[in-house]
């Protein structure tokens, strides 16, 4: 646990890498171009090869990519479990089964920032090597805390990694954690807030929390269809329980629509990223925490 945003949790991935390593991003949204730019600045000369996980091709395409990597140049497969800007949920267990079937040694690294605490996520069961999470969504706190859950395999990679990482190195945090301390100034107020949030989660029960989010997400989708709007995620099995993104019909501008809704209904809708900002909008539901729409 570090005092940082989710971006800091991503930066700690370099604790497992060599500068010339190649990592493979399964892309269902705009995160990986931004992450690729950051990795280059941080010295990852091998770069991030981003590939869009088209639902019609599914895990079979990932299998093809890994089978063709005879020299095991790909050192990690990066996946966003719940893509905030498109409302697509990746099927992590299926991707892990592919990696095991191929016998590829890459680490499986998953961003669960917008799903942890709101949707079903199984770090151990799905054999994830590094899970990335943060405090500001399902954990019901302001931004400022980020987390890595780390497998033994990832810890072994950390011991031989050569990427410069300084503040983001796991070893300092692990050593201090043995005595209940931090190597840096902790975000004390947020830790108290996290303690209360976890107690609330335990009191309600995870199954009840997941069911509530799914019911509310279904209501948002039903409303969008009733209004004649197209949902960005086209595969029902991949619908997100926390984010619904919709396309705005031709002849209308999403920026203008969001401004109108904010002015008249005091409801903030989230914009898309990159060149689609005027074409679709996202509605987010993180109950008892915030509505980030």
């Amino acid at each position: 646990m570090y005092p940082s945003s989710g971006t800091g949790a991503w930066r700690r991935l370099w604790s497992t890498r060599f500068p010339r390593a190649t990592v493979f991003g399964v892309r269902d949204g705009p995160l990986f171009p931004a992450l690729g730019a950051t990795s280059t600045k941080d010295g990852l000369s091998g770069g991030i090869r981003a590939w869009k996980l088209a639902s019609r091709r599914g895990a079979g395409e990932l299998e093809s990519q890994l089978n063709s990597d005879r020299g095991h140049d790909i050192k990690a497969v990066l996946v966003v479990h719940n893509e905030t800007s498109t409302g697509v949920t990746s099927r992590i267990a299926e991707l892990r089964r592919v990696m095991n079937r191929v016998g590829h040694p890459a680490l499986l690294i998953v961003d669960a920032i917008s799903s942890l605490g709101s949707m079903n996520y199984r770090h151990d069961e799905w054999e994830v090597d590094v899970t990335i999470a943060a405090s500001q969504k399902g954990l019901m706190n302001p931004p400022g805390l980020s987390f890595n859950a780390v497998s033994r395999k990832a810890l072994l990679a950390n011991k031989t990694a050569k990427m410069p990482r300084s503040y983001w190195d796991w070893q300092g945090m692990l050593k201090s954690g043995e005595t209940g301390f931090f190597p840096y100034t902790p975000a004390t107020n947020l830790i108290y807030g996290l303690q209360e949030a976890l107690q609330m989660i335990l009191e309600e029960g995870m199954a009840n929390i997941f069911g509530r989010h799914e019911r509310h997400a279904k209501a948002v989708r039903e409303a969008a269809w009733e209004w004649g709007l197209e949902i960005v995620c086209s595969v029902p099995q991949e619908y997100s329980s926390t984010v619904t993104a919709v396309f705005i019909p031709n002849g209308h501008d999403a920026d203008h629509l969001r401004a109108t809704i904010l002015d008249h209904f005091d409801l903030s809708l989230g914009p898309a990223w990159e060149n689609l900002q005027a074409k679709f909008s996202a509605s987010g539901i993180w109950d008892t925490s915030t509505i980030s729409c």
Side-chain angles (χ1 to χ4, degrees), residues 250-266:
N250 291 333
H252 298 272
D253 186 275
D255 293 334
H256 178 70
L257 173 63
R258 283 189 293 272
T260 300
I261 292 173
L262 180 61
D263 289 343
H264 290 275
F265 302 101
D266 196 27

Side-chain angles (χ1 to χ4, degrees), residues 202-225:
L202 289 173
E203 288 173 359
E204 183 174 0
M206 297 302 297
N208 293 328
I209 292 172
F210 298 158
R212 173 164 48 81
H213 280 82
E214 177 52 35
R215 288 194 304 273
H216 291 183
K218 183 177 180 180
V220 172
R221 293 193 295 268
E222 293 287 351
W225 290 324

Side-chain angles (χ1 to χ4, degrees), residues 154-198:
L155 285 174
L156 288 174
N158 169 251
K159 291 181 178 180
T160 58
K162 301 299 183 183
M163 287 281 289
R165 47 197 186 266
S166 185
Y167 177 86
W168 305 114
D169 190 19
W170 289 336
Q171 292 303 318
M173 188 63 75
L174 290 169
K175 185 174 181 179
S176 295
E178 292 176 357
T179 55
F181 288 92
F182 289 82
Y184 320 110
T185 303
T188 307
N189 290 350
L190 292 178
I191 293 173
Y192 279 117
L194 178 64
Q195 182 180 33
E196 182 62 26
L198 293 175

Side-chain angles (χ1 to χ4, degrees), residues 15-280:
S15 285
T16 66
R17 299 274 59 82
F18 284 83
R20 294 188 61 81
T22 297
V23 296
F24 187 74
V26 180
R27 180 183 178 187
D28 270 323
L31 172 65
F32 286 108
L35 183 60
T38 300
S39 70
T40 301
K41 292 177 183 177
D42 286 344
L44 185 70
S45 60
I48 294 178
R49 288 163 45 188
W51 165 69
K52 181 173 175 57
L53 179 60
S55 298
R56 292 186 182 88
R57 291 178 294 177
E61 181 65 21
L62 176 62
E63 184 168 2
S64 175
Q65 295 281 342
L66 295 179
N67 270 324
S68 65
D69 181 35
R70 302 293 186 185
H72 294 163
D73 295 324
I74 297 173
K75 303 303 181 184
V77 174
L78 312 183
V79 191
V80 177
H81 180 226
N82 187 62
E83 175 54 64
T84 313
S85 61
T86 60
V88 174
T89 300
S90 298
R91 289 175 268 185
I92 306 300
E94 187 175 344
L95 299 179
R96 168 48 79 185
R97 285 194 293 271
V98 165
M99 295 175 71
N100 289 347
R101 183 164 60 246
V102 171
H104 199 287
L107 298 175
L108 177 59
I109 300 175
V110 180
D111 179 326
I113 290 174
S114 66
S115 58
L116 190 71
S118 304
M119 299 169 58
N120 191 20
Y121 182 79
R122 305 280 180 171
H123 173 85
D124 292 327
E125 183 179 325
W126 296 343
E127 300 178 58
V128 178
D129 291 299
V130 183
T131 293
I132 295 160
S135 55
Q136 70 266 27
K137 292 190 170 70
L139 297 180
M140 300 180 283
N141 271 265
L145 288 177
S146 64
F147 316 95
N148 285 156
V150 185
S151 72
R152 293 183 183 276
K153 181 179 175 181
L155 285 174
L156 288 174
N158 169 251
K159 291 181 178 180
T160 58
K162 301 299 183 183
M163 287 281 289
R165 47 197 186 266
S166 185
Y167 177 86
W168 305 114
D169 190 19
W170 289 336
Q171 292 303 318
M173 188 63 75
L174 290 169
K175 185 174 181 179
S176 295
E178 292 176 357
T179 55
F181 288 92
F182 289 82
Y184 320 110
T185 303
T188 307
N189 290 350
L190 292 178
I191 293 173
Y192 279 117
L194 178 64
Q195 182 180 33
E196 182 62 26
L198 293 175
Q199 184 60 40
M200 292 170 64
I201 288 171
L202 289 173
E203 288 173 359
E204 183 174 0
M206 297 302 297
N208 293 328
I209 292 172
F210 298 158
R212 173 164 48 81
H213 280 82
E214 177 52 35
R215 288 194 304 273
H216 291 183
K218 183 177 180 180
V220 172
R221 293 193 295 268
E222 293 287 351
W225 290 324
E226 183 67 22
W227 295 332
L229 298 175
E230 179 186 356
I231 293 175
V232 174
C233 180
S234 60
V235 179
Q237 296 90 332
E238 296 175 357
Y239 286 156
S240 169
S241 295
T242 62
V243 180
T244 300
V246 297
F247 287 106
I248 303 303
N250 291 333
H252 298 272
D253 186 275
D255 293 334
H256 178 70
L257 173 63
R258 283 189 293 272
T260 300
I261 292 173
L262 180 61
D263 289 343
H264 290 275
F265 302 101
D266 196 27
L267 183 65
S268 177
L269 296 178
W273 289 21
E274 297 179 322
N275 61 337
L276 292 175
Q277 186 156 331
K279 295 184 179 179
F280 71 85

